[in-house]
Amino acid sequence: SYINNIKKCLYYLYMKILITTSGIGSRLGNITDYNNKSLVRIGNKCALDYIIDNYKHIENVEFIFTIGYLGDIVKQYINLVYKDKLNITFIEIDNYKGNGSSLGYSLLQTKKYIKSPFIFHCCDSIVFDKFDINFKSNIIFGSIHNDSTQYSSVIVNNNKVKQINEKGSENYDYIYCGIAYIHDYNIFFEKLKQLYIKNKNFRSLSDIHSFNE
């Protein structure tokens, strides 16, 4: 019991930022034939650099990266640029393409490493705001956009998310940015696990399906 309490304290010592870089980035076409989408350059930085910049001002942050597709390149880049600057954990995803693979599957592989509230940040979600981590409930980050064909979206009432839509919905208030603070992490993972067991070959399974549950 004493050891478990110490472990629990250590889990809460660091705010965990989960960044999924394990996917093949198929929507970017030949841009990701020889590069992971997290390392695609926008201006003079990689997408991953912009994301890490969001959290540099926060003390005691642990970055958790899922790696799979061209994972060695991602790991080498992160270690080269950030090894002595950040607290980093890598989680290798054994199945990142083909039957049974999905964002949902990759997220489930992180469950044993995450025993506290955490921020999930997709590796292609670039924003220029600095986040305040003093949250007390689940939060989904959204933005204004007039085209939902490529994005999940949310319907909001009194600043509360009432519904999350899959891509292509015509009725929405905000686009979901692919960034969420998950306070109720046990419920999130449990619902995601139930959905995965129900249909392991649902390639589109993601965080939004767990949120809706």
Side-chain angles (χ1 to χ4, degrees):
S1 177
Y2 177 72
I3 297 298
N4 286 336
N5 286 335
I6 291 176
K7 288 181 178 179
K8 186 175 182 181
C9 289
L10 290 174
Y11 277 126
Y12 277 87
L13 182 61
Y14 293 98
M15 167 54 67
K16 292 174 170 57
I17 313 296
L18 173 59
I19 303 173
T20 49
T21 72
S22 40
I24 61 176
S26 59
R27 286 187 294 172
L28 294 182
N30 60 10
I31 294 175
T32 51
D33 283 350
Y34 304 102
N35 196 13
N36 185 280
K37 70 177 180 178
S38 68
L39 300 182
V40 171
R41 292 186 70 83
I42 299 105
N44 62 353
K45 293 183 180 181
C46 297
L48 201 56
D49 297 319
Y50 287 99
I51 294 170
I52 291 173
D53 283 348
N54 288 129
Y55 307 102
K56 279 185 175 179
H57 66 291
I58 302 168
E59 295 183 0
N60 298 331
V61 170
E62 177 186 1
F63 288 90
I64 299 175
F65 299 95
T66 66
I67 56 175
Y69 177 67
L70 298 176
D72 287 344
I73 297 175
V74 176
K75 192 172 184 178
Q76 288 172 19
Y77 179 82
I78 293 171
N79 281 334
L80 179 65
V81 179
Y82 296 109
K83 184 177 181 180
D84 297 327
K85 302 175 183 177
L86 303 177
N87 182 9
I88 299 168
T89 299
F90 294 105
I91 300 175
E92 294 193 21
I93 305 302
D94 58 343
N95 185 14
Y96 55 84
K97 63 179 180 178
N99 292 336
S101 66
S102 63
L103 173 58
Y105 176 82
S106 294
L107 289 170
L108 283 172
Q109 307 317 300
T110 72
K111 180 181 178 182
K112 65 180 179 180
Y113 299 90
I114 299 177
K115 304 294 184 182
S116 62
F118 67 100
I119 286 182
F120 168 55
H121 197 133
C122 290
C123 73
D124 55 359
S125 296
I126 297 174
V127 297
F128 296 101
D129 298 317
K130 290 183 178 180
F131 299 125
D132 179 1
I133 303 297
N134 296 317
F135 304 135
K136 295 182 180 179
S137 62
N138 303 297
I139 296 176
I140 291 175
F141 293 86
S143 64
I144 303 294
H145 202 290
N146 59 6
D147 180 10
S148 66
T149 56
Q150 296 295 318
Y151 307 98
S152 303
S153 59
V154 296
I155 296 175
V156 175
N157 185 16
N158 292 328
N159 210 32
K160 300 286 186 182
V161 174
K162 297 300 181 183
Q163 183 176 322
I164 306 176
N165 307 313
E166 297 196 47
K167 297 170 188 174
S169 175
E170 295 181 357
N171 180 28
Y172 64 93
D173 295 307
Y174 298 97
I175 294 296
Y176 170 46
C177 294
I179 307 169
Y181 173 71
I182 301 173
H183 184 270
D184 301 320
Y185 61 96
N186 281 325
I187 299 174
F188 172 80
F189 282 121
E190 183 59 34
K191 296 299 182 182
L192 191 59
K193 181 180 179 181
Q194 292 171 4
L195 290 167
Y196 181 74
I197 291 174
K198 186 176 181 180
N199 185 359
K200 293 184 178 181
N201 291 322
F202 179 39
R203 296 285 300 279
S204 297
L205 179 64
S206 71
D207 54 322
I208 68 167
H209 298 97
S210 183
F211 293 152
N212 271 329
E213 287 296 307

